[in-house]
């Protein structure tokens, strides 16, 4: 019995010794596997460790050569640089590209074809279905005017030209601005923000027309920027002589109190309040109102009233 156990123990020890020798010997791996797959580069901590097994120089060189040839074949087959993605600049969604297409048409005064828009957005790599959806979206846009091709009996997504339509159309210089203001049937002003949508550099022309008293311009107090425009008549502008301006400045004006009193005496309603009432209201002290006390809520512990009684008078 003991001899049988000794044979089994010796066989087990031999098996462990052979397995440990195979694991510790890096040359036991096949050369073919080493050339097909390049092992990952060790980390700095593993490279500095003395116990990490090292590959032979021939195996490393072969793996590097195989990997380099594979990368070279992939790069020559695709002809696309790896440092730059294939689709960049204007997003992949149709609505995003349509926004950039409208901005492109807004900057260009002349009409553009669908081919020009595709080249500007770099959409040649996309399919025809994507381009057709973009063309349909631009044709239905409220700020884009699409003119079909008269030479074609049936229109396609490639046909026709596109042009941007500003909020205020046909206003691009001083004369067209005056003509547009004369055609207005109400007394509302013209927003400069809407005017710049189709005429971005209108500030200089507005300042020139304002100096000629042909338009009235309302400007902001902080930056003195034009905000709204009305039509003006230069024949109504009269220059006042400096001597008369000086005489007007020397005319004594009544005080605010007297002016209010005189307007009331003649039956006129002043636009401002009586200064005496304002002074009396300022001198009167403010009475702080007392806050109303909240009502007592409904008692919910009526069944415990006998426990809340005071029995201190019953003490001996």
């Amino acid at each position: 019995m003991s001899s049988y156990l000794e044979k089994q123990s010796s066989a087990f020890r031999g098996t462990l010794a052979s397995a440990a020798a195979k694991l510790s010997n890096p040359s036991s791996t096949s050369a073919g596997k080493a050339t097909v797959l390049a092992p990952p580069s060790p980390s700095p901590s593993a490279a500095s460790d003395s116990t990490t097994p090292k590959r032979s120089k021939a195996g490393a060189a072969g793996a590097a050569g195989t990997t380099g040839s594979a990368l070279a074949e992939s790069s020559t087959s695709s002809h696309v640089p790896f440092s730059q993605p294939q689709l960049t600049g204007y997003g992949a969604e149709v609505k995003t590209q349509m926004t950039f297409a409208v901005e492109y048409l807004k900057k260009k005064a002349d009409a553009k074809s669908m081919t020009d828009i595709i080249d500007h957005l770099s959409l040649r790599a996309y399919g025809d279905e994507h381009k057709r959806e973009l063309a349909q979206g631009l044709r239905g846009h409220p700020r884009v005017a699409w003119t079909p091709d008269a030479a074609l009996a049936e229109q396609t997504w490639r046909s026709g030209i596109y042009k941007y339509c500003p909020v205020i159309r046909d206003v691009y210089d001083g004369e067209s601005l005056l003509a547009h203001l004369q055609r207005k049937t109400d007394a509302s002003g013209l927003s400069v923000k809407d005017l710049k949508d189709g005429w971005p550099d209108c500030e200089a022309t507005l300042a020139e027309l304002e100096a000629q008293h042909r338009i009235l311009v309302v400007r902001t107090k902080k930056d003195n920027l034009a905000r709204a425009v009305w039509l003006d008549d230069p024949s109504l502008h009269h220059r006042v002589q400096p001597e008369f301006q000086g005489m007007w400045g020397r005319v004594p004006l009544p005080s605010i109190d007297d002016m209010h009193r005189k307007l009331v005496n003649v039956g006129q309603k002043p636009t401002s309040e009586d200064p005496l009432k304002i002074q009396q209201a300022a001198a009167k002290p403010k009475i702080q109102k007392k806050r109303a006390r909240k009502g007592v809520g409904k008692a919910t512990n009526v069944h415990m009233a006998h426990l809340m009684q005071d029995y201190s008078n019953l003490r001996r």
Side-chain angles (χ1 to χ4, degrees), residues 190-237:
L190 188 63
S191 175
V192 179
K193 181 180 179 181
D194 297 341
L195 188 62
K196 287 184 176 181
D197 188 60
W199 187 15
D201 51 348
C202 62
E203 289 284 351
T205 306
L206 294 181
E208 183 180 355
L209 294 176
E210 183 183 14
Q212 297 174 1
H213 302 284
R214 304 180 70 180
I215 60 173
L216 294 172
V217 182
V218 175
R219 299 181 178 273
T220 59
K221 295 182 179 179
K222 183 178 180 181
D223 301 326
N224 197 28
L225 299 177
R227 188 175 61 181
V229 175
W230 280 268
L231 186 66
D232 194 7
D233 189 356
S235 62
L236 301 177
H237 177 72

Side-chain angles (χ1 to χ4, degrees), residues 17-70:
S18 61
K22 290 180 180 180
L23 291 175
S24 61
N25 189 8
S27 61
S28 61
T29 56
S30 60
K33 293 182 180 179
T35 56
V36 173
L37 296 176
S41 59
S43 60
S45 60
S48 61
D49 193 358
S50 60
T51 60
T52 305
K54 299 180 180 180
R55 295 183 302 160
S56 59
K57 295 183 179 180
T66 307
T67 307
S69 61

Side-chain angles (χ1 to χ4, degrees), residues 149-163:
D149 192 353
L152 297 178
E154 184 178 357
Q155 303 295 325
T156 62
W157 64 268
R158 294 185 178 89
S159 62
I161 54 177
Y162 300 84
K163 188 175 182 180

